[in-house]
């Protein structure tokens, strides 16, 4: 007998029929003797409907009151799922975030979980009940309703699994697992049976929209076994995201090719090369709440340096303007940018113990005539910035070059 | 400066535009220096939508889970109204029933209020905030969400007014007050400036759908001044429902003509007239959860008695069947019924100190050739059961006979 936390997203509970299907799936696990906690999102479209309603009243909705409104989406789903289970003869009880007491800080619309009271859930589980918890929400120390921000139901699932020391946290979604890359670009992309948290973090941050990144961090921190699987198909074990590097995983050098087309590049040339110059450039950018991703700096021969970095494409115009403002102050020769770029990354925990990943990557791209504009590396990832128009080609050739289209 | 509780029903908050109008109205009262607590219902149609959704999952929705779902309707409205007030520059804060802590028993879908914690609301009022409370809902001692049943937002308003010792509880609705009778039947019907609780109870129970009857009982019990007024028109003071019989009111003998077409009549003849016979007849009816309204019994000369009573028309067939079942057991001659009847009542606290109300009523009906089938009297009400087809005529002539079409 295991204690399993299952999380079902908005599409999986999108209408009464689908809610009944979730109940059937839960019933099956329950029949195998497991204790089940189910975390649900709002029915798909519901959160957007509620936000739109709020915006009809107030263009910039008051965050506290927005959370009061938006949290009702999940509250409806927990009631419906509890009914569906009871209708199938399975005892179940619903909990709002406040009823569990998922204590968060008071950062409305993007609260962080501080503590979870597992006492009531535990009593229900021991009485043989399925516990159903509203995802995405909590309550602060004053009893105000809070929400965890978009995708926060994943975080709720992982946090509950951690609090209850669950054997596994299963994230049901509309894909059947994590793939070596986006199958829409590379039809040969393979589903991964296992992936490590570190790899998943790199994949997630690159736009593999399977899991909310915060929930992965959380799972890694509390050593919660995460499994991503489809709520629509019955076959398959999905992808297990583990904190152990087992032997099997050592075999694959690269686990996947991630990419991101949401970035833009800024370049400052002819900056006097003296201490503190990076801060003088990036300080004003950070002060404007712009996140910077890849940063590279090349020192030239003439005592000046060229400095490049990438930001989210939405922040491109704003960042250019900031730098044009500081250009004369820091004595730079030019400020320019390009918002037609893309980032492609090879991710794999195996690259720690293997050489030659970088050279394979660079050679493969060169053979296709794809120019590399920037390079950034971490222990388990190599990213390159290239012209956006080559993105699909780059993903395809790298996927093949690292043998990801071959069965393991 | 007064402390005023205002309650707005579903129609009054039916869309964003109307919610903004409610905010304007609240703002006006606030600007006059009053402390305001606002109780709101779900947006019109929302509660029905949620119930329908629940029924798609479970034909007989689990009561606890139904309350979890249905209570979200009011929760959305409180957030929206708080935003509308903030947008108008007025500080406001929303409360769910659980956040106030409106403590109820655990009778899901028809809970009763046990206690209200006024502490937090009081602090907000003293800080100059408008307090917005979700109507219709509370929380039991275990933290389960409960609802008070249909129309329960009125009860919430009155209960809050009682707990806060408010100067007045204003019920905003789509009519501008309580009328001497239904203006759709008698165009000359007048709006009453004042009415006593006792009269209002008799009027409400007769189908004047202005206020939920439980809220009126509650107001009477806790001596809360209630005022019914329109949320759409600005003019008018509505109708004040008082617990004081002031001098002005003494002048009117009859305050209004109420009626009800939802009843049916059952008659049992030739019942042996011996002790316990009423119980033998009505016991099985009560056991089937059928409410009995008017009851009359006539003793004949031959040691038998005729027994008649009325029930809700929906219970007519069921009740007939029950009595046909016990007929031989009690030795009755016949069981018959009529579901084409109506009840018309003259209501007025003034009738306590005036004679001749009954005779005026009976004479007026006789003059129109309307046969009276049953009569029932209370201290402040005389009701007659008549053929349904004469209902409108009876209401019109009685309204005129008691001078209700004349200005006071």
């Amino acid at each position: 007998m295991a204690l399993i936390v299952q999380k079902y997203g908005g599409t999986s509970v999108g209408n009464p029929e689908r809610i009944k299907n979730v109940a059937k799936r839960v019933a099956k696990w329950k029949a195998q003797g497991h204790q089940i906690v189910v975390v649900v999102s709002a029915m798909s479209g519901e959160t957007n409907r509620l936000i739109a309603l709020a915006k009809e009243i107030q263009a910039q909705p008051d965050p506290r009151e927005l959370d009061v409104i938006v949290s009702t989406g999940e509250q409806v789903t927990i009631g419906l799922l509890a009914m569906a289970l009871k209708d199938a003869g399975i005892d179940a009880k619903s909990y709002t975030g406040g009823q569990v007491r998922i204590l968060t800080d008071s950062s409305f619309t993007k609260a962080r979980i501080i503590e979870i009271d597992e006492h009531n859930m535990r009593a229900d589980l021991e009485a043989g009940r399925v516990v159903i918890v509203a995802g995405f929400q909590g309550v602060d120390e004053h009893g105000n309703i809070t929400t965890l921000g978009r995708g926060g139901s994943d975080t709720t699932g992982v946090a509950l699994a951690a609090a209850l020391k669950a054997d596994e946290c299963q994230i049901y979604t509309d894909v059947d697992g994590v793939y070596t890359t986006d199958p829409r670009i590379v039809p040969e992309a393979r589903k991964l049976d296992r992936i490590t948290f570190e790899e998943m973090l790199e994949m997630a941050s690159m736009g593999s929209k399977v899991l909310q990144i915060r929930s992965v961090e959380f799972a890694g921190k509390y050593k919660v076994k995460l499994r991503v699987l489809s709520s629509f198909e019955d076959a398959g074990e999905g992808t297990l995201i583990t904190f152990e590097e087992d032997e099997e995983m050592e075999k694959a050098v690269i686990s996947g090719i991630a990419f991101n087309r949401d970035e833009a590049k800024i370049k400052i040339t002819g900056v006097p090369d003296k201490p503190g110059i990076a801060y003088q450039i990036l300080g004003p950018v950070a002060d404007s709440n712009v996140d910077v991703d890849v940063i590279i700096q090349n020192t030239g021969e003439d005592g000046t340096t060229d400095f490049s970095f990438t930001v989210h494409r939405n922040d491109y115009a704003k960042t250019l303007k900031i730098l044009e403002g500081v250009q004369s102050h820091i004595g730079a020769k030019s400020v320019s940018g390009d918002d037609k770029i893309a980032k492609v990354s090879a991710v794999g925990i195996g690259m720690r113990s293997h050489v030659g990943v970088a050279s394979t990557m660079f050679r493969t791209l060169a053979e296709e005539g794809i120019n590399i504009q920037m390079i950034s590396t971490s222990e388990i990832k190599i990213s390159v910035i290239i012209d956006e128009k080559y993105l699909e080609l780059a993903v395809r050739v790298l996927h093949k070059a690292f043998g990801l289209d071959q069965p393991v």
Side-chain angles (χ1 to χ4, degrees), chain A residues 309-326:
Chain A
F309 60 92
T310 64
V311 295
H312 194 283
R313 213 171 271 188
N314 293 344
D315 293 324
Y316 176 59
K318 179 178 168 184
T319 310
L320 260 188
K321 211 165 171 185
I322 292 168
L323 287 177
E324 281 157 9
V326 298

Side-chain angles (χ1 to χ4, degrees), chain A residues 25-173:
Chain A
R25 190 177 294 270
V26 171
K28 215 152 86 182
W29 283 89
K30 186 85 177 67
Q32 288 166 23
H34 302 301
Q35 293 187 326
I36 313 284
V37 175
V38 185
V39 176
V40 285
S41 300
M43 294 166 79
S44 53
E46 190 59 12
T47 305
N48 286 338
R49 183 185 75 84
L50 291 166
I51 291 174
L53 196 56
K55 287 190 172 167
E56 277 191 71
I57 297 282
Q58 203 177 18
Q60 295 284 330
D62 178 82
R64 179 189 186 275
E65 301 301 337
L66 188 60
D67 280 357
V68 168
I69 293 168
V70 168
S71 62
T72 63
E74 285 74 20
Q75 188 170 327
V76 169
T77 319
I78 56 171
L80 293 176
L81 182 57
M83 284 181 187
L85 280 163
K86 289 194 165 209
D87 208 48
I90 294 177
D91 199 7
K93 189 170 158 194
S94 73
Y95 285 86
T96 63
Q99 285 176 326
V100 170
R101 206 160 189 249
I102 297 179
L103 182 69
T104 72
D105 61 22
S106 301
S107 308
F108 297 112
T109 75
K110 48 179 192 293
R112 293 200 164 244
I113 296 174
I114 296 171
E115 201 177 67
I116 292 179
D117 182 349
E118 37 135 4
H119 179 260
N120 291 324
M121 291 186 294
R122 189 77 75 184
D124 276 322
L125 288 174
E126 266 150 33
R129 272 179 214 112
V130 171
V131 168
I132 301 166
V133 179
F136 172 70
Q137 58 181 250
V139 75
D140 75 3
E141 57 176 334
H142 307 293
N144 296 306
I145 296 167
T146 57
T147 70
L148 310 179
R150 281 274 163 153
S153 290
D154 287 353
T155 306
T156 302
V158 173
L160 287 176
L164 291 162
K165 296 174 185 62
D167 297 281
E168 196 168 293
C169 178
Q170 301 177 338
I171 308 282
Y172 287 86
T173 173

Side-chain angles (χ1 to χ4, degrees), chain A residues 388-399:
Chain A
E388 188 187 13
K389 69 182 174 192
Y390 295 122
L391 173 64
E392 288 84 356
L393 174 60
V395 171
R396 272 198 302 271
V397 294
L398 290 174
H399 193 266

